[in-house]
Amino acid sequence: MTHLAGTIRTDNSSALMQWLWRIVIALSGVALLATYFNVFDGYEIAIVILTAVTLILLGQNWPQFRVHIISVSLLSWFAVARYGTDLDLGDSDFFLNYILSSQSAFMWMSALFVLATLTYLGGLLLRSDFTEKVATALTWSAATMGMVGLMVRWRESYLISHDVGHIPVSNLYEVFILFAVITALLYLFYERRYQTRSLGSFVLFVISAAVAFQLWYTFDRHAHEIQPLVPALQSYWMKIHVPANFVGYGAFSMAAMIGVAYLLKSWRQTHNPNGVIASALPDLAVIDDLMYKAIALGFAFFTVATILGALWAAEAWGGYWSWDPKETWALIVWLNYAAWLHMRMTKGWNGRPMAWWAIIGLFVTIFAFLGVNMFLSGLHSYGTL
Amino acid sequence: MSDAKHAYRKTLSQRIFHFLGSMDLAITLLLTLAIASIIGTVLQQNQPYTDYLLKFGPFWFDVFESAGLYDVYSALWFLAILTLLVTSTSVCVIRHTPSMLNDMRNLRTHVQEKSLRAMHYRAEWQSDNAVSDLASDLESHMQQQGFRAKQTLIDDGILVSAMKGGLNRLGYIATHLAIIIICVGGLMDSNLPLKLAEWQGRLAIETRDLPSSQIPAKSRLPVGPQAFRGSINIPEGRTSEVAFVGMRDGYLVQELPFKIEVKDFRIEHYATGQPKSFETDLIVFDDDLAQPIEQTISVNHPLFHKGYAIYQASFSDGGSALSLQAWPLTKVAGKETVEFEAKVFENREMIWGDQSLKLEMLSFRPFNINPDPTEDDPDRIRNFGPSFGFKLRTKTGEALEYINYMLPVEKEGRSFYLSGVRASPAEEFGFLYLPVDKNGGLDGFNQFLTELHSSDKVAAIAHNMMLQTLTDVADRTAELEQNLEQTLVILVAMFIDNGFQGVGEFIDTAVPENERENLGPAYLGMLREMLARIYFNSQDSSEIDNADSEQLLFLQDALNAIGSLSRYGSPVYLMLTDYEHVEASGLQIARSPGKPVVYLGCALLIAGVFILFYLPQRRFWLLVKAKSGVTTVLLAGMSNRNPREFDVFFEQQKQILQHGNGNS
Ligand code: HEM
């Protein structure tokens, strides 16, 4: 089957499965809306519809994604039911305490991601299809546990108190999980589409790094505690601005790691063309194409996220653009990738310089994501209000 | 040859046009803009100029000011880069639009067989069908696939040209037009017109602190359609008809076509004490309205009226009324506490003997649940009660800034009133710890201090102590007695002036070196004894030996406090006895006529980017010819992006076309 590696997979799910999926999601959406019709405002209804459409589109030709969504739904539902209205059950109920409370789910996610990274690496070095398939399964499980953790945490925040409740994308701790899950899903999408698992250890490496940072952050700063939202963050824009941003960050990270794979392969190819790395990784042209795809996806979502941020700013701060450090760094990231895309599309550059540039881009992105919050002050640090 | 000549003869304007539209320039500009943008994120923008002056010193302050670094994003050179980028993009759009539009519509029916054969994606097969039937089949197949297709008769056959995703080219136009539109919208909302007016001398930035009614007309902006972003603090119960627009180190006054009243400002808290919401009840009075608008705004929920938007931006004190007691700390301040009233943001003169100080009341907070400012552990949160901040300014203009916390703070089991002092905002506060007596007040400390300041009392105690010290000395002379008594009095005086540190310095400088080793500790011992005697005298318990440890600790704390009074700088300690809290809501008021333009640009940008990336333009050509009795088909295809997906797609189409139509 290896001869397929790098070619685009085009098989579609059977029409029956497709319709089944569409109906299940549509019905769930309708059920959700019918149950909470009185509580939801127009934006929330729009978000539910948007989510349903996205799930339908992603799932209709992607069986694993369907399994993922259904597992997340069932596990989250089970955890929420287990909790009832008593947050303290998180420490006493067996299922919650060891598996499904958000804190435990995140621990499982972290462990599974690290394991998946190592397994991918093993699969790559041993050139074992089976090992790589195990790694894919581990990655799916990790993403599922992460997503379940986020869902359960959402509920937990409401169990603390109704006014504390909010979607868990409001602080560095929560967005790190979001980052890990989104990056993993993006990777899994391309892994299937390009029919190659050999890039897994590269992409999963950033996820593991993020998980490591996250663990340190949890233990060092007690960051996992659910905090109420500061007034500036109490906005429906947060629900879409932050996830859109993380699709961007995730795709850029993936592009950078694919860039690393490119450089490694092109280096090994000249020195040891029959070695493991050179023969296991897909063709340079495929890697290059994948890198472009990732950056294009990241750029598109980053554009959306930045614009959503501007709309939000117009409502919260009285101006759609204030040259606040976080905004400005988003612009810097965006301009950098715009230049990258032009260089590739119009000047036809590809290969090693573009791979290096993608890696540098990751550092710019990391600064925009973390550095700004840590080193620079501005409206995004929510210092005054 | 003629081509080269033609290029050579390009006019200068053509060459400039070409340069502006060049990709190299575009990429350079994108990266230059990115790098230039970093400056303003590293250097905090639009801070008070005095802060920059303090930070950089006069030389670099001037250099940075002339480079516009305190407001980089409206500095001329920064705007120039932006303008160049917009120009470059415009040129690019102008240059490419005609060919793109053409490319969108044109099915390329004139393509030569030779070019088809040169394409990367191609296939060739034979069929038994007649040329015209086959061509029609192929055409309808392409149409079923969502392609636009058309047949063209050529010399010896038919060319079917098909295309899908022509919109892709529109994506290019939309993306780049969007950049231009967004920048134009941004320009409409920028302060460039104000800068121009200032440059022409029509406007002058006001830097003085004046009541808004006294601000000269040259610094006022009349009601009009122009964009602005201003702010205003309105105390509860007060109104405003203007907003202040900050410019560099000063401001302009923007007049509003309505009057805003702040009825009430509220902060709500979560159970944990963190703020949950900042809200203001506003009333907007407008002559055009039958009834004033009453609305509550909060963060994320502004009020819109007549194209103006009013946002909750901050809050501050609105001139709270404070009842204060001044406890004397130095001799000139006398013995008695003085009571008086003050208001936040008001100044008053305070006179003690020949010393006159201006009290500038700066801030008040009804409660402070803060990380402990005096501890290294910032995780430690405690309640400091109400606080107020003020400055004491001397005649020469120097000022020390103070912050007093009104709930005694525990430290090592004893309670203290905390007062912080610093000479400039760049410094951290240094804290004075005033020990609280057993009745929970400052009386104990004040009594001790009064005794220390009373020369009669000190002299009497010195006399007593001298007598006791010298009882066993046989050969004492009157001179010795006088000397010792005087020394004791002087030591106390030195302590009052500069604390133990002052005495230590005296010993180091005035005592001959060979005697220092003996005399130094002797002097300090005597001083401590004196201070203790004065203290216990003040407490009416002259029995030092029977003192409990509580009293000794209090004495120790009091001495520490007195020792640092010279650094504290204020002749009095101000204590709050009562207050009436008035808050002010900080509003941001903005008019941005460019906003719809920017939003249009944003919508166009999103649409454009997604179209560009995910709607590739694909073309197919099918050249059907009759050649010696058989019909041959030459298939060629191209896609302007996503080659890997096109690989698959082309292969699929080839199979279908070959089997579906070729051999039937
Ligand atoms: C802020 C400024 C600009 C932005 C954000 C921008 C954005 C983009 C994007 C996102 C693409 C698509 C790249 C891809 O398909 O991977 C693109 C393509 C392109 N851009 Fe720009 N661009 C800008 C300025 C310019 C300028 C100044 C020029 C002219 C020199 C230019 C010329 C082009 C051309 C020729 C293409 C290729 C279109 C195609 O063949 O599909 N762009 N631009």
Side-chain angles (χ1 to χ4, degrees):
Chain A
M1 290 299 270
T2 29
H3 66 278
L4 274 178
T7 56
I8 300 281
R9 182 177 186 137
T10 52
D11 58 340
N12 285 347
S13 298
S14 71
L16 178 70
M17 274 324 276
Q18 289 189 348
W19 277 110
L20 219 55
W21 176 247
R22 286 174 202 149
I23 289 168
V24 166
I25 295 296
L27 283 182
S28 316
V30 169
L32 195 64
L33 288 180
T35 318
Y36 296 105
F37 194 71
N38 300 326
V39 215
F40 281 177
D41 59 23
Y43 297 100
E44 279 156 340
I45 294 172
I47 287 174
V48 170
I49 295 174
L50 211 76
T51 311
V53 171
T54 314
L55 290 183
I56 287 177
L57 290 179
L58 283 175
Q60 57 187 2
N61 286 316
W62 191 7
Q64 294 85 343
F65 185 75
R66 295 197 289 261
V67 175
H68 168 72
I69 291 299
I70 290 170
S71 316
V72 168
S73 310
L74 291 180
L75 287 171
S76 311
W77 174 78
F78 179 69
V80 168
R82 222 53 220 177
Y83 263 122
T85 55
D86 185 2
L87 186 60
D88 292 336
L89 284 174
D91 295 326
S92 53
D93 182 271
F94 174 82
F95 288 104
L96 295 176
N97 191 16
Y98 291 104
I99 308 175
L100 289 175
S101 75
S102 65
Q103 209 43 44
S104 312
F106 294 150
M107 287 302 146
W108 281 107
M109 176 201 82
S110 308
L112 287 166
F113 270 135
V114 173
L115 209 57
T117 312
L118 298 174
T119 314
Y120 268 125
L121 190 63
L124 175 76
L125 297 179
L126 302 172
R127 305 226 37 203
S128 151
D129 272 0
F130 174 74
T131 313
E132 287 189 327
K133 278 183 187 157
V134 171
T136 303
L138 286 170
T139 310
W140 273 114
S141 337
T144 304
M145 285 318 276
M147 208 61 176
V148 169
L150 287 172
M151 291 290 165
V152 174
R153 188 178 170 91
W154 199 345
R155 177 65 190 165
E156 286 168 352
S157 70
Y158 278 90
L159 289 180
I160 291 180
S161 140
H162 186 74
D163 61 3
V164 171
H166 59 85
I167 186 172
V169 293
S170 69
N171 60 28
L172 218 49
Y173 175 81
E174 293 165 346
V175 297
F176 255 94
I177 308 219
L178 188 70
F179 171 82
V181 172
I182 288 183
T183 311
L185 290 178
L186 287 174
Y187 167 73
L188 288 167
F189 175 81
Y190 283 106
E191 175 185 279
R192 187 177 126 82
R193 190 151 174 79
Y194 277 68
Q195 311 191 58
T196 169
R197 291 197 163 88
S198 50
L199 294 170
S201 51
F202 294 89
V203 180
L204 269 277
F205 178 78
V206 247
I207 299 181
S208 286
V211 162
F213 180 89
Q214 153 93 5
L215 288 177
W216 167 77
Y217 196 63
T218 310
F219 290 125
D220 194 67
R221 308 271 189 90
H222 307 291
H224 60 281
E225 283 158 26
I226 296 176
Q227 296 290 339
L229 284 184
V230 296
L233 292 183
Q234 295 164 12
S235 168
Y236 47 80
W237 290 113
M238 187 175 80
K239 292 191 178 78
I240 39 181
H241 169 64
V242 178
N245 244 318
F246 278 84
V247 176
Y249 289 146
F252 292 148
S253 311
M254 185 166 88
M257 294 318 287
I258 294 173
V260 172
Y262 186 98
L263 293 175
L264 197 64
K265 164 126 181 170
S266 79
W267 174 58
R268 293 314 301 160
Q269 217 171 28
T270 48
H271 287 82
N272 187 6
N274 301 318
V276 176
I277 298 277
S279 49
L281 287 173
D283 266 2
L284 283 178
V286 172
I287 306 183
D288 186 68
D289 189 50
L290 202 49
M291 183 168 72
Y292 165 74
K293 276 277 165 42
I295 285 187
L297 181 79
F299 186 79
F301 274 87
F302 209 70
T303 307
V304 173
T306 310
I307 289 173
L308 288 172
L311 296 180
W312 185 2
E315 200 169 288
W317 302 336
Y320 47 82
W321 195 261
S322 313
W323 293 103
D324 160 80
K326 191 87 179 176
E327 274 175 359
T328 309
W329 272 94
L331 179 73
I332 292 166
V333 168
W334 190 78
L335 289 170
N336 178 46
Y337 286 111
W340 192 98
L341 287 169
H342 280 101
M343 203 57 130
R344 192 186 146 105
M345 285 310 290
T346 58
K347 304 218 63 139
W349 280 33
N350 58 16
R352 291 166 48 132
M354 298 311 274
W356 277 112
W357 193 346
I359 294 168
I360 293 168
L362 179 61
F363 286 97
V364 180
T365 308
I366 289 176
F367 191 82
F369 169 22
L370 279 182
V372 174
N373 296 41
M374 282 157 64
F375 303 119
L376 307 176
S377 61
L379 294 167
H380 269 84
S381 55
Y382 316 111
T384 46
L385 258 197
Chain B
M1 181 70 199
S2 73
D3 252 15
K5 248 187 189 166
H6 185 71
Y8 203 65
R9 264 192 274 116
K10 267 191 193 161
T11 63
L12 183 63
S13 58
Q14 271 172 332
R15 262 191 265 175
I16 291 177
F17 191 76
H18 184 83
F19 168 72
L20 284 175
S22 76
M23 208 60 236
D24 293 333
L25 180 69
I27 293 174
T28 312
L29 285 174
L30 287 173
L31 293 177
T32 313
L33 190 66
I35 291 164
S37 299
I38 296 176
I39 299 173
T41 67
V42 179
L43 176 59
Q44 270 207 42
Q45 299 287 288
N46 295 308
Q47 299 296 300
Y49 274 27
T50 43
D51 289 8
Y52 291 126
L53 191 56
L54 267 170
K55 201 158 162 188
F56 301 124
F59 176 75
W60 289 109
F61 172 81
D62 281 343
V63 173
F64 290 168
E65 192 195 357
S66 41
L69 295 197
Y70 308 137
D71 189 6
V72 171
Y73 305 112
S74 48
L76 276 182
W77 61 266
F78 190 85
L79 293 179
I81 301 177
L82 259 178
T83 315
L84 210 55
L85 183 64
V86 173
T87 315
S88 163
T89 314
S90 311
V91 169
C92 200
V93 171
I94 293 169
R95 249 194 6 198
H96 289 119
T97 298
S99 64
M100 294 265 178
L101 286 178
N102 184 29
D103 189 32
M104 243 178 90
R105 274 174 279 134
N106 195 334
L107 286 178
R108 302 213 189 144
T109 50
H110 295 301
V111 66
Q112 301 292 319
E113 182 169 350
K114 202 168 58 179
S115 350
L116 293 182
R117 289 195 182 282
M119 285 187 188
H120 174 69
Y121 294 98
R122 60 166 197 282
E124 209 167 353
W125 65 90
Q126 297 185 338
S127 163
D128 312 326
N129 291 9
V131 170
S132 60
D133 292 352
L134 187 55
S136 300
D137 280 355
L138 295 172
E139 184 188 7
S140 67
H141 171 81
M142 291 319 293
Q143 280 165 346
Q144 275 164 21
Q145 294 289 320
F147 280 67
R148 220 150 52 75
K150 190 180 167 189
Q151 297 186 27
T152 319
L153 279 177
I154 49 174
D155 314 337
D156 45 356
I158 298 176
L159 176 68
V160 179
S161 315
M163 178 181 70
K164 186 176 170 177
L167 222 54
N168 183 273
R169 315 318 286 157
L170 219 52
Y172 163 85
I173 298 175
T175 313
H176 293 81
L177 205 56
I179 302 297
I180 303 168
I181 293 175
I182 290 172
C183 289
V184 168
L187 187 70
M188 287 167 69
D189 287 344
S190 75
N191 66 359
L192 214 59
L194 296 185
K195 289 198 134 180
L196 195 68
E198 188 197 358
W199 185 62
Q200 290 171 332
R202 287 184 287 126
L203 263 183
I205 291 176
E206 181 58 67
T207 52
R208 292 165 297 174
D209 198 3
L210 295 176
S212 65
S213 56
Q214 285 174 30
I215 292 162
K218 255 201 154 177
S219 305
R220 302 182 84 90
L221 303 164
V223 172
Q226 75 275 10
F228 73 91
R229 249 172 111 172
S231 56
I232 175 96
N233 284 325
I234 308 179
E236 290 166 320
R238 306 271 282 277
T239 63
S240 174
E241 287 179 276
V242 298
F244 296 94
V245 177
M247 284 273 274
R248 295 205 304 278
D249 55 339
Y251 60 90
L252 298 165
V253 176
Q254 171 68 53
E255 285 163 7
L256 303 173
F258 45 77
K259 190 162 78 179
I260 307 170
E261 179 182 332
V262 168
K263 227 167 73 180
D264 188 28
F265 172 80
R266 289 179 299 280
I267 304 181
E268 283 176 21
H269 297 267
Y270 292 107
T272 52
Q274 286 124 304
K276 175 172 157 187
S277 73
F278 304 94
E279 300 178 352
T280 305
D281 294 337
L282 285 184
I283 310 179
V284 175
F285 300 94
D286 186 337
D287 293 340
D288 297 346
L289 294 172
Q291 217 155 10
I293 307 172
E294 291 206 32
Q295 192 176 323
T296 301
I297 62 164
S298 60
V299 180
N300 279 314
H301 300 280
L303 183 158
F304 296 97
H305 175 55
K306 278 189 171 169
Y308 292 77
I310 305 173
Y311 303 88
Q312 179 74 61
S314 62
F315 63 93
S316 59
D317 196 276
S320 296
L322 310 180
S323 304
L324 299 169
Q325 271 181 345
W327 290 78
L329 294 178
T330 64
K331 212 162 181 173
V332 291
K335 299 181 198 168
E336 306 298 328
T337 61
V338 180
E339 309 226 335
F340 64 101
E341 302 290 316
K343 270 193 174 160
V344 175
F345 301 131
E346 279 183 5
N347 302 338
R348 62 182 296 152
E349 209 66 34
M350 301 184 88
I351 294 169
W352 297 279
D354 56 352
Q355 193 179 8
S356 141
L357 287 172
K358 193 161 76 174
L359 169 70
E360 304 174 3
M361 205 37 88
L362 298 176
S363 63
F364 169 74
R365 291 177 64 154
F367 51 87
N368 289 276
I369 301 172
N370 287 350
D372 195 329
T374 63
E375 305 253 340
D376 293 328
D377 180 10
D379 282 346
R380 177 145 177 200
I381 309 269
R382 47 180 164 182
N383 186 3
F384 291 82
S387 70
F388 59 100
F390 59 95
K391 275 187 178 170
L392 287 175
R393 197 176 290 283
T394 63
K395 281 235 162 62
T396 52
E398 292 142 45
L400 287 173
E401 186 189 340
Y402 297 87
I403 177 121
N404 290 7
Y405 291 98
M406 297 288 50
L407 204 64
V409 167
E410 291 258 315
K411 194 180 177 189
E412 290 159 22
R414 285 110 69 199
S415 293
F416 300 88
Y417 278 111
L418 282 191
S419 175
V421 57
R422 64 181 175 188
S424 88
E427 294 171 19
E428 299 276 330
F429 279 107
F431 282 89
L432 175 70
Y433 286 75
L434 291 179
V436 171
D437 61 25
K438 49 184 182 295
N439 302 323
L442 286 176
D443 286 308
F445 180 74
N446 181 246
Q447 264 171 20
F448 177 38
L449 201 57
T450 312
E451 301 276 300
L452 270 183
H453 285 151
S454 154
S455 20
D456 291 350
K457 288 269 172 64
V458 173
I461 290 171
H463 186 72
N464 255 338
M465 179 170 155
M466 178 274 289
L467 290 180
Q468 280 179 12
T469 315
L470 297 183
T471 26
D472 301 337
V473 179
D475 54 346
R476 54 197 246 213
T477 60
E479 197 190 340
L480 178 65
E481 290 181 3
Q482 215 185 347
N483 264 347
L484 180 57
E485 198 174 315
Q486 241 175 19
T487 307
L488 293 174
V489 171
I490 290 173
L491 282 171
V492 171
M494 278 195 300
F495 174 73
I496 292 175
D497 284 345
N498 276 311
F500 285 115
Q501 200 188 344
V503 178
E505 275 163 22
F506 165 78
I507 294 171
D508 285 349
T509 50
V511 178
E513 201 171 341
N514 51 356
E515 294 176 34
R516 212 174 285 162
E517 203 167 310
N518 290 329
L519 273 183
Y523 277 156
L524 285 176
M526 287 192 292
L527 173 59
R528 285 188 184 282
E529 171 82 19
M530 266 303 283
L531 292 169
R533 279 165 185 255
I534 297 170
Y535 169 69
F536 285 101
N537 193 45
S538 79
Q539 305 287 307
D540 292 324
S541 66
S542 31
E543 284 302 314
I544 300 179
D545 298 335
N546 296 342
D548 56 24
S549 65
E550 196 179 324
Q551 279 179 312
L552 289 177
L553 284 173
F554 185 91
L555 171 62
Q556 188 55 47
D557 292 335
L559 292 179
N560 283 343
I562 295 165
S564 52
L565 282 181
S566 60
R567 276 171 284 144
Y568 185 62
S570 165
V572 288
Y573 169 73
L574 294 184
M575 179 134 143
L576 185 73
T577 54
D578 198 9
Y579 64 83
E580 191 197 333
H581 189 208
V582 180
E583 288 176 286
S585 180
L587 303 177
Q588 170 140 295
I589 303 178
R591 227 190 105 80
S592 39
K595 193 158 106 175
V597 180
V598 171
Y599 285 6
L600 173 76
C602 289
L604 209 56
L605 182 63
I606 293 180
V609 166
F610 276 89
I611 290 174
L612 255 184
F613 289 151
Y614 299 110
L615 205 80
Q617 186 188 36
R618 291 170 171 175
R619 290 175 181 281
F620 276 82
W621 290 271
L622 291 138
L623 183 59
V624 189
K625 277 187 178 174
K627 237 185 227 162
S628 48
V630 283
T631 310
T632 63
V633 181
L634 173 64
L635 166 70
M638 63 185 267
S639 168
N640 71 342
R641 60 189 58 235
N642 301 354
R644 233 142 263 287
E645 268 124 66
F646 193 65
D647 281 347
V648 179
F649 183 75
F650 185 82
E651 198 54 38
Q652 271 174 358
Q653 297 305 312
K654 190 178 92 182
Q655 299 294 337
I656 299 172
L657 290 167
Q658 241 170 345
H659 297 118
N661 304 303
N663 302 323
S664 59

